[in-house]
Amino acid sequence: MLEDAGGHVRDADDDQMRLECGVFGAWNVAESSAITALGLHALQHRGQEACGIASFDGQLFHTERHMGHVGEAFSGTDLVHRLPGRYAIGHTRYATSGASVIRNVQPMFADLEASGIAIAHNGNLTNFRALHTQLVAEGSIFQSTSDSEVILHLVARSRKGSMEARFIDALSRIEGGYALLALTNECLIGARDPLGIRPLVLGELDDAYVLASETCALEMIGARFVRDIEHGEVVVISGKRTLRSSRPFPAARARPCLFEYVYFSRPDSVVNGRSVYDVRKRMGACLAQETGVDADVVVPVPDSGVPAALGFAQASGIPYELGIIRSHYMGRTFIQPTQGVRELGVRMKHSPNRQVLEGKRVVLIDDSIVRGTTSRKIVRMVREAGAREIHFRSASPPIKWPDFYGIDMPDRDKLLAARKTLAEMQEILEVDSLGFLSVDGLYHAMDAGPRDPVHPQFTDHYFTGEYPTRLLDREIAEGRNDPVERQLSLLVTA
């Protein structure tokens, strides 16, 4: 077992990146908990370990939090009786084994003197440990190890008058990437971090408003997309249909997360005005232009490599085929008791289509390479199915740096591209050639032109090492933060 950049424990053979969560909120919607459950179902890809819903019926708050999938937790005709009301927020979460406990599941709820408040949070706070240490020293008692609970404490301790003002006061203390929803007895609040690292969208359902991490959740419930919540924006929905917007913090350049397009968002979502599916196809086309090779067939690693493989095939003229078939019925809790069985585990998820692969020169397309463990297993499987040559292509640049904004990613010494040269990686993966999309190629696929080295248009630190915010907790852990400066940073509040 290994510990990742977020302090979680993960299996050494686990080569999959995960996003921490997805959020959904509905205001003044009939059967809001059922609508929220449907929205969370569409966001299941953003978190598959746990889920929760908090509703308000006009007098009382009701909450349910469960381990497992949305369909398992919130099925049944009694859902609207268990969670009544026209107001609700929900959350679907991924947690590694070290943090997969019910006390960390959201939404988190607290009774304050003026109102109850439930919070759902997508992303990570990069000053969580610093704030947690200060709050505990001042008498706060925490019930979880989630950074979301810090926000609740900051709201509770704020001396501002209204709940909205207290929420904004709390936002002024936190750093990192986030999309936040808060439900009170008077309003639904949505907020996006000042750089827009994590996504949040506004939709309209009949005469009501909904908020969600992705547009695919709006499609699921039949809502109309209105617009993206802007970076640094706070929206407050109240009454029957009142929506107010504010930008309470100094203006900053937007830098949305590129991995929303590379991997995390659903292909049918539109994120920050860009179709995820179209971007991924263009990534494949750019990859073909940069790393073209003579081959017989282009094969995606399903499902995330499919759009890029289509783009690669169309740009190169090489036929596209499904040479790997993915099983969608693999159990989440399958036990792998021995190394021998563990080595066969990849075949539970991916099976070779021998008729497509045998005797062929194969271009194998995946969205990215993290540790390389799963990629090597897939290569061996394709080779055993008779492929004559295997040319592995990654539709993203080499991942060389960890993330601290909501992506569960290994530390740098566990990232293959951070430790090895291209030739060494090619040998480790046992492929005939290896190629990656360049950073400029990815920017071109985003229709953003070349990367601006002074003011990058996106959050791209996992490729470049240039983090968009300071990493206070990391600085403290590494002894790079002066105690006086740290204390001053914690006291910069209203």
Side-chain angles (χ1 to χ4, degrees):
M1 305 297 281
L2 299 168
E3 189 173 280
D4 66 14
H8 302 133
V9 177
R10 61 186 292 161
D11 194 290
D13 284 341
D14 185 357
D15 198 28
Q16 182 180 359
M17 286 181 296
R18 300 174 175 90
L19 198 63
E20 296 295 343
C21 46
V23 297
F24 186 94
W27 181 262
N28 198 26
V29 174
E31 299 185 335
S32 65
S33 58
I35 293 295
T36 299
L38 286 172
L40 293 180
H41 183 75
L43 300 172
Q44 187 73 84
H45 60 287
R46 299 184 72 90
Q48 300 181 36
E49 290 293 331
C51 54
I53 294 175
S55 71
F56 178 63
D57 64 9
Q59 291 185 319
L60 299 174
F61 283 87
H62 310 266
T63 62
E64 278 193 24
R65 300 185 296 168
H66 300 274
M67 306 306 298
H69 286 185
V70 176
E72 299 167 350
F74 296 113
S75 60
T77 57
D78 64 337
L79 176 60
V80 295
H81 301 292
R82 288 155 38 201
L83 295 166
R86 300 181 64 87
Y87 318 95
I89 62 171
H91 188 271
T92 184
R93 180 177 191 267
Y94 164 74
T96 51
S97 57
S100 186
V101 291
I102 196 68
R103 64 180 178 147
N104 287 334
V105 180
Q106 299 181 45
M108 291 190 169
F109 175 78
D111 265 318
L112 307 183
E113 72 276 11
S115 166
I117 182 172
I119 286 181
H121 169 211
N122 169 211
N124 270 0
L125 306 186
T126 54
N127 64 338
F128 158 63
R129 296 185 188 280
L131 287 171
H132 184 277
T133 299
Q134 183 189 29
L135 289 167
V136 169
E138 294 174 353
S140 293
I141 299 173
F142 282 79
Q143 301 297 315
S144 76
T145 58
S146 169
D147 55 357
S148 306
E149 192 177 358
V150 161
I151 302 168
L152 276 180
H153 282 276
L154 292 174
V155 172
R157 295 166 68 89
S158 173
R159 300 277 65 88
K160 298 294 184 179
S162 68
M163 190 61 71
E164 176 186 347
R166 293 169 73 167
F167 184 78
I168 292 173
D169 190 26
L171 293 184
S172 72
R173 302 284 303 276
I174 65 177
E175 300 172 8
Y178 56 82
L180 275 167
L181 297 185
L183 179 66
T184 78
N185 60 358
E186 294 182 345
C187 62
L188 171 64
I189 307 173
R192 197 173 175 194
D193 67 80
L195 298 179
I197 297 173
R198 298 271 74 88
L200 188 65
V201 297
L202 174 69
E204 200 172 39
L205 181 62
D206 299 325
D207 291 328
Y209 286 117
V210 293
L211 293 165
S213 290
E214 293 182 38
T215 59
C216 64
L218 306 183
E219 293 284 347
M220 173 68 76
I221 64 169
R224 181 181 68 86
F225 170 73
V226 176
R227 64 178 179 88
D228 290 286
I229 302 303
E230 298 294 329
H231 60 290
E233 182 182 11
V234 177
V235 295
V236 179
I237 305 168
S238 60
K240 288 188 176 181
R241 187 185 161 77
T242 302
L243 186 145
R244 289 183 290 105
S245 168
S246 65
R247 302 290 290 266
F249 308 112
R253 291 175 180 266
R255 289 187 62 180
C257 174
L258 277 176
F259 251 103
E260 290 288 345
Y261 301 92
V262 170
Y263 180 78
F264 289 118
S265 293
R266 243 174 58 166
D268 54 332
S269 283
V270 176
V271 178
N272 302 305
R274 294 175 173 87
S275 161
V276 174
Y277 179 77
D278 288 346
V279 169
R280 289 178 185 169
K281 282 189 67 178
R282 289 197 297 269
M283 288 162 55
C286 292
L287 182 64
Q289 293 165 7
E290 293 182 349
T291 68
V293 63
D294 288 332
D296 302 311
V297 63
V298 174
V299 171
V301 176
D303 289 324
S304 57
V306 169
L310 282 169
F312 191 104
Q314 291 172 2
S316 66
I318 302 172
Y320 168 93
E321 296 287 352
L322 294 179
I324 299 173
I325 308 302
R326 181 186 175 190
S327 169
H328 292 269
Y329 306 102
M330 181 174 141
R332 291 182 298 109
T333 57
F334 181 79
I335 299 172
Q336 299 175 327
T338 67
Q339 184 61 29
V341 173
R342 186 189 298 271
E343 289 296 325
L344 296 175
V346 69
R347 295 178 185 267
M348 292 181 60
K349 187 174 181 181
H350 298 114
S351 298
N353 187 353
R354 185 176 294 272
Q355 288 72 21
V356 168
L357 301 171
E358 194 166 18
K360 301 291 179 58
R361 297 172 299 169
V362 177
V363 183
L364 200 58
I365 308 287
D366 206 352
D367 61 274
S368 59
I369 298 174
V370 187
R371 299 173 188 268
T373 51
T374 299
S375 299
R376 185 171 60 245
K377 291 176 184 178
I378 289 174
V379 167
R380 288 176 178 175
M381 181 185 70
V382 170
R383 188 86 69 183
E384 290 169 5
R388 181 156 54 97
E389 296 177 8
I390 301 177
H391 304 276
F392 202 107
R393 297 293 183 267
S394 166
S396 71
I399 301 172
K400 298 182 178 181
W401 301 86
D403 181 80
F404 302 97
Y405 303 100
I407 303 173
D408 176 41
M409 190 182 290
D411 278 327
R412 191 162 191 255
D413 61 353
K414 306 299 189 304
L415 296 170
L416 185 65
R419 300 181 290 111
K420 304 295 181 181
T421 66
L422 185 67
E424 289 171 334
M425 287 189 284
Q426 180 176 321
E427 183 177 354
I428 289 169
L429 296 179
E430 303 172 5
V431 294
D432 296 278
S433 74
L434 176 65
F436 292 85
L437 183 63
S438 68
V439 173
D440 280 341
L442 179 52
Y443 271 70
H444 181 72
M446 294 288 294
D447 280 338
R451 180 181 188 270
D452 184 337
V454 178
H455 299 292
Q457 302 93 310
F458 300 97
T459 289
D460 58 12
H461 53 275
Y462 16 73
F463 309 130
T464 66
E466 297 180 21
Y467 290 88
T469 73
R470 71 169 183 168
L471 304 172
L472 180 59
D473 287 343
R474 198 72 171 177
E475 291 173 8
I476 294 171
E478 295 174 355
R480 294 187 287 114
N481 187 268
D482 179 80
V484 175
E485 177 186 335
R486 181 168 72 246
Q487 189 63 24
L488 287 173
S489 73
L490 293 175
L491 293 174
V492 177
T493 59

